[in-house]
Amino acid sequence: MSFMALHGSRPKNANIQRGCSQSFPMNATSMEEFMQAAIKEARKGLTEGGIPIGSVLVIDGKIVGRGHNRRMQKGSAILHAEMDCLEHAGRLSTKDYRRGVLFSTLSPCDMCSGAILLYKIPRVVIGEHETFQGPEEYLRSRGVELVILNHEECIRMMSEFITSNPELWNEDIGEE
């Protein structure tokens, strides 16, 4: 079944890559609204002196958690945007996570993908994966549906940051 048949419309430039059989009633407008909330988190991280990656967790059409990469700000080894978002969502039931959609401005890394799998979050909407691509094939193989938006603002924000801060970026992704 096509994305349009399941969801009513297709976001501009979206690359829908299905990995699970569940359908989530989300149209292009709501996807853009939630991605804008994640972008707002990314901008917040940048103004704090951190890496511009943001994330929101949506359950039943409502944002229940927000976060941004705060590794630099907190001197943390693990506060990637998705981890910060899940932390701010607090303790949720298994049923809640299984109704969730995680929005991230950037493709989730191995660590964040592990959290997605641990809590069985069935769908991830990714702002972009041109500047960095996490283990997307593995997520798909485990039944996670990925929606890749190729959002111009996400690409521009990360490209500019990586060009200006290559050492910090490499540290964040575990590269030398």
Side-chain angles (χ1 to χ4, degrees):
M1 184 173 280
S2 74
F3 180 84
M4 289 182 66
L6 285 171
H7 306 287
S9 65
R10 180 185 177 100
K12 184 179 178 184
N13 299 325
N15 179 4
I16 311 306
Q17 300 169 336
R18 299 194 58 81
C20 66
S21 60
Q22 297 177 338
S23 67
F24 297 86
M26 189 172 297
N27 61 34
T29 302
S30 61
M31 254 198 260
E32 180 63 20
E33 173 188 337
F34 296 130
M35 184 52 65
Q36 284 300 320
I39 290 169
K40 183 177 179 181
E41 285 294 318
R43 285 191 204 116
K44 184 176 179 182
L46 186 60
T47 63
E48 293 172 355
I51 299 171
I53 305 168
S55 183
V56 296
L57 179 63
V58 176
I59 298 175
D60 299 333
K62 296 181 181 159
I63 295 174
V64 299
R66 298 171 184 268
H68 53 276
N69 186 307
R70 296 190 310 151
R71 288 186 64 249
M72 298 309 301
Q73 300 91 309
K74 296 290 185 178
S76 171
I78 63 168
L79 276 181
H80 282 189
E82 299 88 346
M83 304 299 276
D84 191 45
C85 174
L86 293 173
E87 177 70 14
H88 283 110
R91 289 181 63 192
L92 299 173
S93 73
T94 303
K95 289 180 183 179
D96 288 333
Y97 285 117
R98 290 181 181 172
R99 293 191 325 273
V101 180
L102 185 69
F103 285 76
S104 182
T105 59
L106 186 65
S107 182
C109 72
D110 289 325
M111 175 178 63
C112 298
S113 295
I116 291 163
L117 294 173
L118 176 68
Y119 293 112
K120 297 178 176 52
I121 298 169
R123 185 181 206 194
V124 179
V125 178
I126 298 169
E128 68 103 346
H129 68 177
E130 289 186 22
T131 60
F132 175 82
Q133 186 170 352
E136 293 174 9
E137 287 301 321
Y138 184 64
L139 285 171
R140 280 187 213 94
S141 78
R142 296 284 305 272
V144 178
E145 178 184 359
L146 302 180
V147 179
I148 315 294
L149 297 179
N150 293 322
H151 198 287
E152 288 180 24
E153 187 170 0
C154 295
I155 295 167
R156 181 191 49 73
M157 194 167 20
M158 281 309 301
S159 296
E160 289 174 2
F161 180 83
I162 292 167
T163 299
S164 299
N165 302 281
E167 299 85 17
L168 184 57
W169 172 243
N170 286 335
E171 176 189 329
D172 197 63
I173 61 171
E175 296 289 326
E176 290 188 30

